[in-house]
């Protein structure tokens, strides 16, 4: 006998009504009609999706928990329909040693409401091998902070790992990139700063599209030279995506991510919202930015949930910290786009469930099939709201999407067969490490 039935759920895009049986946190049955007299939740033909996987969050834990911690970050995730998150390494200390990695795992184990993985940072080369044993989702490299020679040394070290046959659940190491060329960013920023100008919209010029394009070309060359798998985070320009498309045609093992803000906003939001729209890479001018038409060529949507305090945001453009908290809003914004026919449920599932599971080697997630984890988000496609950051579960109560009218909202989130959000209310849960 199953533990629980989710009765009358609508599977999309097929619009098929099914009942899902859940046992020990897994999907064990898919039937047209749920058996009578067993425990069930009637979803009344609401759309059900696999729980969303966010491969790009910054939870600031440890070290910067005044901005966010693993509890509040995963509360925002659960509220927003995300059942798995992968945390970035730029915490204090950074997650670039085995010790720091283990400590962050303990924190997550203690505080996370949803399932989680961690990306590793790279500090000293000698730490790479020990870190890899702990199963990071990837090694994250910030090209805006590293010199070309440093990046190449890291590639050599990771190539050694691969040659020595080290594997992570049977998979070779993956390198994730923040692609903005350090030299280009530094020289453009310096020029603008020295003119003593402070308008937030200058930020888009201080870190121009060219900085990303140069960095993406460098990353692709390294992937080819060392025959390593790479993943390009937050692609923000059409030209970068074209370069990645070309590399894929030449059989390079490269995948790409876009964020909700780079998809939905352009640089005019720096004028409208000031530094609340400041992020790295910056929002792009309309002519350079990616559009819904480009989504076919993108592999995943990652939120790049990057919370800061209002005080940290309300400084001058050069001092204000970059980052936008997105976990509370991403799904509702995208459901709105589905209602407006700018994208489809098939796109949403591919970009936020299936591909993140494949790219980051997350077994048993991303699909609604027998044997998969019972991770779901149920959505109401008719529910309307206006985005109000005061209601965010994240500690960061600001957003360039403030005031956006949305139609389509998550109404229930379930992780491993347990309800973590129902009608906006959160319940306790203990998430698991995705590679355990
Ligand atoms: O806008 C950003 N914020 N981009 C990054 O690469 C880092 C992030 C952060 O950690 O605040
Ligand atoms: Zn990031």
């Amino acid at each position: 006998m199953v533990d629980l039935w989710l009765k009358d759920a609508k599977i999309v895009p097929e619009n098929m009504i099914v009942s899902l049986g859940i046992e020990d946190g897994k999907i064990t049955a898919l039937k047209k009609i749920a058996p009578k007299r067993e425990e069930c939740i009637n979803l009344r033909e609401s759309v059900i999706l696999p729980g969303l996987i966010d491969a790009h969050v910054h939870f600031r834990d440890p070290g910067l928990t005044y901005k966010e911690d693993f509890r509040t970050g995963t509360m925002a995730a659960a509220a927003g329909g995300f059942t798995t998150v992968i945390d970035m390494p730029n915490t204090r200390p950074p997650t670039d040693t085995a010790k720091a990695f283990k400590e962050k795992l303990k924190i997550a184990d203690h505080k996370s409401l949803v399932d989680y993985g961690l990306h590793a940072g790279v500090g000293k080369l000698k730490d790479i091998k020990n870190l890899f044993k702990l199963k990071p989702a990837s090694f994250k490299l910030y090209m805006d902070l590293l010199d070309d020679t440093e990046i190449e040394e890291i590639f050599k070290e990771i190539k050694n790992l691969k040659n020595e046959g080290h594997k992570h659940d049977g998979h070779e190491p993956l390198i994730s990139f923040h692609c903005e060329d350090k030299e280009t960013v530094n020289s453009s920023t310096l020029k603008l700063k020295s003119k003593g100008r402070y308008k937030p919209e200058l930020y888009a010029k201080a870190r121009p599209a060219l900085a990303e394009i140069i960095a993406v070309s460098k990353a692709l060359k390294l992937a080819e030279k060392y025959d390593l798998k790479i993943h390009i985070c937050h692609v923000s320009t059409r030209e970068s995506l074209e370069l990645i498309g070309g590399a894929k045609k030449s059989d390079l093992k490269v995948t790409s991510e876009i964020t909700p803000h780079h998809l939905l906003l352009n640089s005019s939001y720096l004028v409208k919202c000031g530094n609340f729209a400041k992020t790295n890479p910056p929002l792009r001018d309309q002519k350079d930015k990616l559009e819904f038409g480009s989504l076919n060529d993108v592999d995943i949507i990652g939120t790049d949930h990057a919370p800061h305090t209002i005080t940290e945001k309300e400084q001058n453009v050069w001092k204000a910290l970059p980052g936008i908290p997105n976990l509370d809003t991403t799904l509702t914004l995208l459901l709105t786009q589905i209602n407006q026919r700018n994208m489809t449920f098939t796109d949403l599932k591919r970009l936020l469930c299936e591909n993140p599971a494949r790219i980051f080697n997350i077994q048993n997630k991303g699909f609604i099939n027998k044997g998969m984890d019972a991770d779901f988000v149920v959505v109401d496609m008719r529910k309307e709201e206006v985005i109000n950051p005061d209601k965010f579960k994240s500690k960061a109560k600001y957003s360039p999407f403030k005031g956006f009218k949305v139609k389509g909202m998550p109404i229930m989130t379930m992780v491993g067969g347990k309800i973590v959000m129902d009608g906006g209310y959160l319940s306790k849960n203990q998430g698991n490490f995705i590679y355990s």
Side-chain angles (χ1 to χ4, degrees):
M1 206 171 100
V2 304
D3 303 330
L4 174 70
W5 287 92
L6 293 181
K7 181 175 144 64
D8 292 349
K10 188 191 279 181
I11 302 269
V12 284
E14 297 84 354
N15 287 339
M16 221 165 52
I17 306 298
V18 299
S19 291
L20 300 163
I22 300 167
E23 203 178 328
D24 287 336
K26 305 265 182 208
I27 304 169
T28 52
L30 272 147
K31 291 197 171 169
K32 274 217 166 108
I33 298 169
K36 293 210 168 86
R37 285 188 293 279
E38 289 192 25
E39 193 178 335
C40 91
I41 300 174
N42 192 342
L43 296 182
R44 299 176 201 287
E45 307 199 351
S46 298
V47 169
I48 195 165
L49 299 165
L52 308 189
I53 299 171
D54 189 354
H56 193 153
V57 303
H58 296 267
F59 283 167
R60 316 301 191 197
D61 200 350
L64 300 162
T65 51
Y66 65 93
K67 297 177 200 262
E68 193 80 290
D69 64 29
F70 241 99
R71 173 81 70 207
T72 54
T74 56
M75 281 164 64
F82 289 86
T83 53
T84 301
V85 291
I86 311 182
D87 189 52
M88 284 295 169
N90 59 337
T91 37
R92 306 255 173 88
T95 324
D96 62 5
T97 61
K99 182 167 178 271
F101 196 96
K102 284 182 195 159
E103 262 157 33
K104 193 184 272 190
L105 278 180
K106 260 194 223 153
I107 293 169
D109 183 47
H110 190 60
K111 298 187 189 172
S112 191
L113 243 70
V114 303
D115 289 350
Y116 55 87
L118 307 179
H119 294 284
V122 179
K124 297 197 174 96
L125 293 177
K126 70 171 179 47
D127 290 312
I128 289 179
K129 201 174 279 183
N130 283 335
L131 269 167
F132 191 60
K133 289 183 190 148
L134 300 172
K135 304 187 182 178
S138 79
F139 288 102
K140 172 82 184 277
L141 304 187
Y142 289 86
M143 289 178 100
D144 54 340
L145 305 176
L146 292 163
D147 293 322
D148 293 352
T149 46
E150 292 172 305
I151 297 171
E152 185 133 12
E153 287 308 310
I154 296 168
F155 263 74
K156 282 184 193 155
E157 191 66 23
I158 294 179
K159 179 72 178 176
N160 284 341
L161 264 188
K162 185 179 162 183
N163 286 346
E164 288 166 15
H166 293 275
K167 295 230 159 132
H168 162 336
D169 291 343
H171 290 255
E172 58 181 82
L174 173 66
I175 302 170
S176 290
F177 271 105
H178 178 118
C179 281
E180 287 188 284
D181 182 57
K182 184 179 171 190
E183 227 181 280
T184 315
V185 164
N186 287 350
S187 64
S188 311
T189 306
L190 204 67
K191 246 189 243 160
L192 285 166
K193 261 188 179 172
S194 66
K195 290 187 182 154
R197 293 163 60 194
Y198 292 95
K199 286 204 172 126
E201 56 268 36
L202 288 174
Y203 199 66
K205 298 197 167 55
R207 303 175 77 101
L210 182 66
E212 177 176 280
I213 294 158
I214 293 173
V216 168
S217 332
K218 284 182 181 174
L220 293 173
K221 278 198 190 110
L222 285 165
E224 184 173 21
K225 180 170 171 189
Y226 290 95
D227 184 28
L228 287 172
K229 268 204 289 192
I230 66 167
H231 174 71
I232 314 271
C233 297
H234 43 54
V235 175
S236 66
T237 70
R238 264 189 269 168
E239 210 172 321
S240 306
L241 194 63
E242 278 162 23
L243 287 173
I244 296 167
K248 282 180 175 173
K249 282 200 185 113
S250 323
D251 285 337
L252 253 69
K253 291 174 267 179
V254 54
T255 50
S256 61
E257 172 196 77
I258 185 171
T259 68
H261 45 277
H262 290 112
L263 182 63
L264 295 167
L265 308 177
N266 61 27
S267 55
S268 74
Y269 279 80
L270 280 162
V271 182
K272 260 184 232 162
C273 308
N275 296 321
F276 293 109
K278 174 176 167 175
T279 181
N280 293 343
L283 298 177
R284 298 301 181 193
D285 296 346
Q286 192 59 34
K287 68 173 172 36
D288 294 321
K289 83 179 272 295
L290 290 163
E291 296 295 336
F292 282 92
S294 323
L295 279 185
N296 278 341
D297 300 320
V298 175
D299 295 288
I300 70 168
I301 292 179
T303 69
D304 199 0
H305 178 83
H308 296 288
T309 64
I310 303 263
T311 318
E312 288 169 332
K313 282 298 210 181
E314 281 179 337
Q315 305 183 80
N316 80 50
V317 60
W318 307 118
K319 284 195 177 152
L321 298 181
I324 297 173
N326 276 326
L327 279 168
D328 285 273
T329 55
T330 295
L331 178 55
T332 189
L333 287 166
L334 296 177
L335 294 175
T336 307
Q337 296 299 323
I338 292 176
N339 268 324
Q340 293 174 357
R341 310 226 182 281
N342 290 327
M343 65 185 281
T344 63
F345 280 119
T346 306
D347 295 327
L348 186 76
K349 291 202 306 185
R350 182 177 66 84
L351 293 160
L352 281 144
C353 311
E354 298 160 5
N355 278 348
R358 284 195 196 107
I359 293 168
F360 296 98
N361 182 26
I362 312 170
Q363 307 289 327
N364 303 321
K365 293 194 188 290
F367 299 84
I368 298 182
N369 288 330
K370 262 196 215 173
M372 288 279 159
D373 290 354
D375 295 353
F376 309 105
V377 53
V378 180
V379 303
D380 178 344
M381 290 306 285
R382 283 187 287 267
K383 198 166 178 205
E384 296 183 54
E385 215 178 72
V386 174
I387 289 186
N388 174 4
D390 293 342
K391 291 193 185 163
F392 288 0
K393 304 292 185 207
S394 167
K395 284 188 188 179
K397 307 217 187 289
Y398 66 86
S399 171
F401 296 110
K402 179 178 174 177
F404 272 45
K405 287 189 183 137
V406 287
K407 183 175 179 184
M409 294 180 65
I411 52 172
M412 183 188 283
T413 310
M414 192 173 250
V415 179
K418 293 203 185 102
I419 293 176
V420 291
M421 184 276 281
D422 190 2
Y425 293 97
L426 300 176
S427 343
K428 276 190 192 158
N429 184 48
Q430 180 48 65
N432 294 308
F433 184 47
I434 52 177
Y435 306 120
S436 56

